[in-house]
Amino acid sequence: YEYMLNAVEKDVVVDEEQEQTTKVEGTGPTADETRNEMELETKMKVKGMEVLDMPMPTSYVAETNLPTDAGHFRMRAYRIDEEFRDLHTQRSEHIGFEQVVLYNPKKSPFGKSGVTLRIHDQCITSEIFFSNRRDGGDKFKKALQYVDEHGGLIIYLQQEGRGVGFANNMATHALQDEGMDIGDTNAHLGLPDDCRQYGPVPSILKDLGIDSVKLMTNNPLKIQKVTALGVQVDGTMPMI
């Protein structure tokens, strides 16, 4: 769990009352000790915005072939360790425990640096039902095409509607149908504007032996959040 204890990067202010836990030389932390240290890191501020996010230990589950119209990929599944799942869902009960990695086996990202990475959040409305309200489906297709042609990987996270869940996301759409501005719908329903969690990412990258990435994103806050979790971001690539 050494990757969980990385110092928070610049632009992130950690609660000054955090305490250092002394470890006995030659012994690793127990699950309870690791949990306590992670709880000390739950309150962070990114440019004045309080977030609750922390590295989440994940376990590899299985890997299989994934033939698609966009190319032939390998699909690799992970699951957050059970004792940490309540921490992962502290901001939203609608965030899932399982993650998927997609990569081109002919351009394997294992053990490399500066790997192009798309951290993609589930968007059922556009990916399954082909809605034109959201661009998640288009971004996912572009990421698949890039990985097929150039390598890299996609980490797919179960956090529909920026983490509020599918049904709540539909409720925001209904308010938009009535004329409400998209920027006001979540607040009207008593929902956070964005409660996505990127805690599983460091653990997954560690398992793949990837020590730095180039993020494929248009979202500056995502870059800050991922960096704050201890991931080395060498650069970015816009989603055009």
Side-chain angles (χ1 to χ4, degrees):
Y1 297 125
E2 181 179 354
Y3 63 93
M4 302 176 203
L5 308 178
N6 289 339
V8 179
E9 299 289 339
K10 61 183 180 180
D11 294 332
V12 179
V13 180
V14 183
D15 188 341
E16 294 181 355
E17 295 181 2
Q18 290 184 3
E19 298 177 358
Q20 298 295 325
T21 300
T22 303
K23 299 182 180 63
V24 179
E25 185 176 356
T27 63
T30 65
D32 286 342
E33 290 171 339
T34 303
R35 181 191 183 92
N36 290 338
E37 293 202 34
M38 291 170 69
E39 286 176 335
L40 291 175
E41 297 187 46
T42 60
K43 291 187 177 180
M44 300 186 295
K45 291 184 179 180
V46 181
K47 289 193 172 180
M49 175 183 176
E50 184 173 293
V51 296
L52 297 177
D53 205 353
M54 67 206 76
M56 284 286 125
T58 63
S59 296
Y60 164 75
V61 178
E63 183 170 327
T64 185
N65 287 313
L66 181 69
T68 75
D69 292 339
H72 184 90
F73 301 91
R74 292 287 289 176
M75 175 182 282
R76 188 175 175 89
Y78 291 84
R79 185 179 294 129
I80 291 176
D81 294 348
E82 185 173 0
E83 62 267 34
F84 298 100
R85 292 176 189 172
D86 60 331
L87 289 175
H88 184 62
T89 58
Q90 61 187 308
R91 292 195 70 204
S92 174
E93 62 182 350
H94 306 290
I95 295 175
F97 302 134
E98 297 177 332
Q99 305 82 38
V100 167
V101 168
L102 300 173
Y103 69 92
N104 183 345
K106 295 181 179 179
K107 299 178 174 66
S108 173
F110 285 72
K112 296 183 179 179
S113 302
V115 175
T116 300
L117 168 63
R118 169 65 182 171
I119 303 174
H120 189 84
D121 303 305
Q122 175 182 294
C123 185
I124 292 176
T125 52
S126 62
E127 294 164 2
I128 304 298
F129 300 119
F130 310 112
S131 170
N132 292 323
R133 286 182 185 266
R134 298 288 186 266
D135 60 358
D138 289 338
K139 289 179 178 178
F140 186 60
K141 290 178 183 177
K142 290 176 182 177
L144 282 175
Q145 292 169 353
Y146 182 91
V147 171
D148 179 60
E149 295 176 11
H150 306 285
L153 73 153
I154 300 170
I155 297 180
Y156 190 95
L157 303 177
Q158 293 178 301
Q159 36 194 15
E160 178 76 27
R162 296 192 174 190
V164 300
F166 182 70
N168 283 331
N169 199 28
M170 294 305 94
T172 67
H173 289 181
L175 290 175
Q176 292 173 50
D177 290 342
E178 297 172 2
M180 184 174 292
D181 186 271
I182 187 174
D184 299 326
T185 55
N186 283 42
H188 182 82
L189 294 170
L191 300 171
D193 182 58
D194 189 342
C195 53
R196 288 174 289 184
Q197 303 285 281
Y198 300 107
V201 173
S203 176
I204 292 171
L205 293 177
K206 181 178 178 67
D207 179 69
L208 299 173
I210 296 172
D211 56 21
S212 65
V213 299
K214 184 176 182 180
L215 278 182
M216 189 182 296
T217 183
N218 297 330
N219 187 348
L221 184 57
K222 180 183 287 188
I223 299 168
Q224 293 175 17
K225 285 185 175 182
V226 172
T227 300
L229 288 166
V231 176
Q232 181 176 329
V233 179
D234 292 340
T236 60
M237 177 182 297
M239 294 293 296
I240 301 174

